[in-house]
Amino acid sequence: MEYNLGDNPVTSHSWNANRTQIAVIPNSNEVQIYKYEPNLSDWTLLDNLDQHGLLVTGIDWAPNTNRIVTCSADRNAYVWTIDDKGKWKPTLVLLRISRAATCVKWSPNEKKFAVGSGAQLISVCYFEVENDWWVSKHIKKPIRSTVTALDWHPNNMVLATGTADFRVRLFNVHMKEVDQCQKVKTEWDTDDTSVPNLVAEFTNSSRGGGWIHGLAFNKTGNRLCWVAHDSSITVADVSKGSIVVNKLKTNELPFISCIWVSDRALVAAGHGCCPMLYCIDSNNKVQFVSKIDSSQKKEAAGLSAMKKFQSLDRQARINSDYELDTKHQNTLTCLRVHSESNNTVTKFTSSGLDGKIILWELNSLDKLLQGLKI
């Protein structure tokens, strides 16, 4: 299913809990909230969140508390809550950063969220009841570049970060003010305690390897996947007691985003304009499975004279030979889980710079993985 909510590129999107509303960043300083109308089989604009002064760079919608968090190049973040009249109202978050905010992510329990930035630090934010505002604590060392990606471990304490210095780092961000439990070691902890709160650090390559675009934990939290600008997919696995890292260097254009669709399967997409399905085999190796997009390139031959003139009039060209043989016609910017069944993703959505949001179905995931040694 394909949705086109406007003419602008979509840099990110996020769903509400029941998937009846979607928040879209149309490559501007605004966030648009749409609601699906079954009677019209179309989307209607509900609200326009325009508090930011510069480009909105990240968004996340908390499904249980129904709060939206946004961050922007204006160095601010806002937590949005809906009032009695159905309008979204912002609350400013004290990030205390000197460079643009780049990404944001709620923790699984939705009591805190993390904001990455170009200030070479992470702001972990929580609500301070005494003062009735959102405050932040900074994680600085050993980050030496822009934070480009974030994801939380299911235990709400370990935060994975990807940066432009080609590294993925895991931090323990336990907060006694919020977590209301003791700080505990996780399966990801290493023996190196030279840097406080640093759980583990991975380099994308000994010779650099490209900055990190996206990363994600699986449901159980024992595998972490990341995609980088060198067209690689890397999976760190701790399911057998020790950390094992395997990297697949692909021949595709660089990936921007990745999501887990089962405990051993993931989808990655980016500049190649097509979502790709990969799996982890019995040797913990990353293995290509198939392309999710099975579209076929339209035949250009046999155009009638009328269609030629229409194409020339509308697009200043006679045919569409240079159109891609994929549903998306430009870079995919974001992947989001839409529907799940038995801990397996059955539907997911992608947004792209072509302005489209496409709903993909994975009902035949078992068939696609059949015959592979996983």
Side-chain angles (χ1 to χ4, degrees):
M1 194 174 293
E2 184 177 311
Y3 310 120
N4 203 327
L5 303 180
D7 298 327
N8 294 325
V10 178
T11 51
S12 188
H13 70 286
S14 190
W15 293 94
N16 70 341
N18 59 11
R19 303 309 192 253
T20 58
Q21 296 183 26
I22 187 172
V24 173
I25 303 176
N27 196 37
S28 69
N29 66 319
E30 300 176 349
V31 174
Q32 297 172 343
I33 309 295
Y34 288 90
K35 182 180 180 180
Y36 187 73
E37 301 289 351
N39 298 333
L40 302 175
S41 297
D42 201 1
W43 296 85
T44 57
L45 182 64
L46 287 183
D47 210 341
N48 198 44
L49 314 185
D50 57 359
Q51 192 70 21
H52 286 288
L54 294 174
L55 178 70
V56 179
T57 53
I59 186 171
D60 200 20
W61 198 329
N64 299 318
T65 56
N66 197 33
R67 294 183 299 205
I68 298 174
V69 60
T70 59
C71 65
S72 167
D74 63 5
R75 299 174 294 157
N76 291 323
Y78 290 97
V79 174
W80 302 79
T81 53
I82 199 162
D83 61 14
D84 297 335
K85 298 180 180 179
K87 291 292 184 181
W88 290 92
K89 299 299 181 183
T91 302
L92 181 65
V93 182
L94 300 178
L95 292 181
R96 300 181 291 119
I97 56 177
S98 59
R99 296 290 186 272
T102 54
C103 49
V104 64
K105 186 77 173 180
W106 281 107
S107 65
N109 63 11
E110 302 173 14
K111 292 182 179 180
K112 54 189 176 184
F113 59 88
V115 179
S117 71
Q120 303 180 21
L121 59 84
I122 303 161
S123 300
V124 182
C125 309
Y126 63 97
F127 189 73
E128 198 173 67
V129 180
E130 294 81 5
N131 295 312
D132 192 29
W133 61 8
W134 290 87
V135 296
S136 64
K137 290 188 176 181
H138 286 171
I139 298 175
K140 297 180 180 180
K141 295 181 179 180
I143 302 171
R144 295 184 293 275
S145 189
T146 299
V147 179
T148 55
L150 298 166
D151 197 32
W152 289 87
H153 190 279
N155 66 6
N156 296 287
M157 295 187 190
V158 174
L159 177 67
T161 66
T163 54
D165 59 2
F166 319 135
R167 284 172 171 79
V168 171
R169 298 180 178 91
L170 274 62
F171 295 95
N172 192 317
V173 290
H174 172 268
M175 291 181 172
K176 61 182 180 181
E177 303 93 340
V178 178
D179 296 316
Q180 298 177 348
C181 64
Q182 296 295 322
K183 184 177 179 179
V184 295
K185 292 192 69 174
T186 69
E187 64 269 29
W188 291 96
D189 281 87
T190 60
D191 296 331
D192 185 6
T193 59
S194 57
V195 180
N197 299 321
L198 180 65
V199 174
E201 179 176 293
F202 310 100
T203 178
N204 195 46
S205 171
S206 58
R207 292 173 291 177
W211 56 90
I212 312 301
H213 281 302
L215 47 75
F217 278 109
N218 66 350
K219 278 282 186 181
T220 57
N222 58 16
R223 289 190 179 96
L224 175 67
C225 169
W226 65 85
V227 291
H229 200 67
D230 61 346
S231 303
S232 66
I233 299 177
T234 307
V235 174
D237 190 335
V238 75
S239 60
K240 296 183 179 179
S242 60
I243 300 176
V244 178
V245 180
N246 283 290
K247 179 177 180 178
L248 175 65
K249 193 73 176 292
T250 73
N251 293 323
E252 308 295 334
L253 292 174
F255 299 111
I256 298 294
S257 181
C258 61
I259 56 171
W260 290 91
V261 294
S262 73
D263 193 47
R264 283 184 169 270
L266 59 98
V267 173
H271 292 286
C273 308
C274 177
M276 305 280 192
L277 179 64
Y278 293 85
C279 75
I280 313 302
D281 63 18
S282 56
N283 297 319
N284 282 330
K285 301 291 186 182
V286 185
Q287 184 177 352
F288 173 74
V289 179
S290 68
K291 292 184 177 181
I292 304 296
D293 191 346
S294 58
S295 302
Q296 298 294 323
K297 191 169 184 178
K298 298 177 182 178
E299 293 293 336
L303 287 176
S304 66
M306 177 64 74
K307 288 184 178 180
K308 286 184 179 180
F309 279 111
Q310 286 177 343
S311 180
L312 184 63
D313 179 51
R314 294 172 183 172
Q315 304 170 352
R317 65 177 189 266
I318 295 177
N319 55 43
S320 56
D321 283 346
Y322 67 84
E323 286 187 2
L324 302 176
D325 56 347
T326 54
K327 292 181 180 179
H328 277 290
Q329 294 294 300
N330 209 329
T331 299
L332 275 70
T333 56
C334 180
L335 298 175
R336 296 281 186 176
V337 173
H338 184 276
S339 306
E340 294 180 86
S341 177
N342 299 323
N343 291 324
T344 300
V345 174
T346 56
K347 296 179 182 179
F348 71 93
T349 53
S350 61
S351 58
L353 296 182
D354 55 1
K356 295 178 182 178
I357 295 175
I358 297 179
L359 178 65
W360 306 89
E361 295 192 13
L362 283 173
N363 295 330
S364 58
L365 181 60
D366 293 336
K367 293 182 180 179
L368 290 172
L369 299 177
Q370 202 171 27
L372 296 173
K373 295 180 179 181
I374 62 170

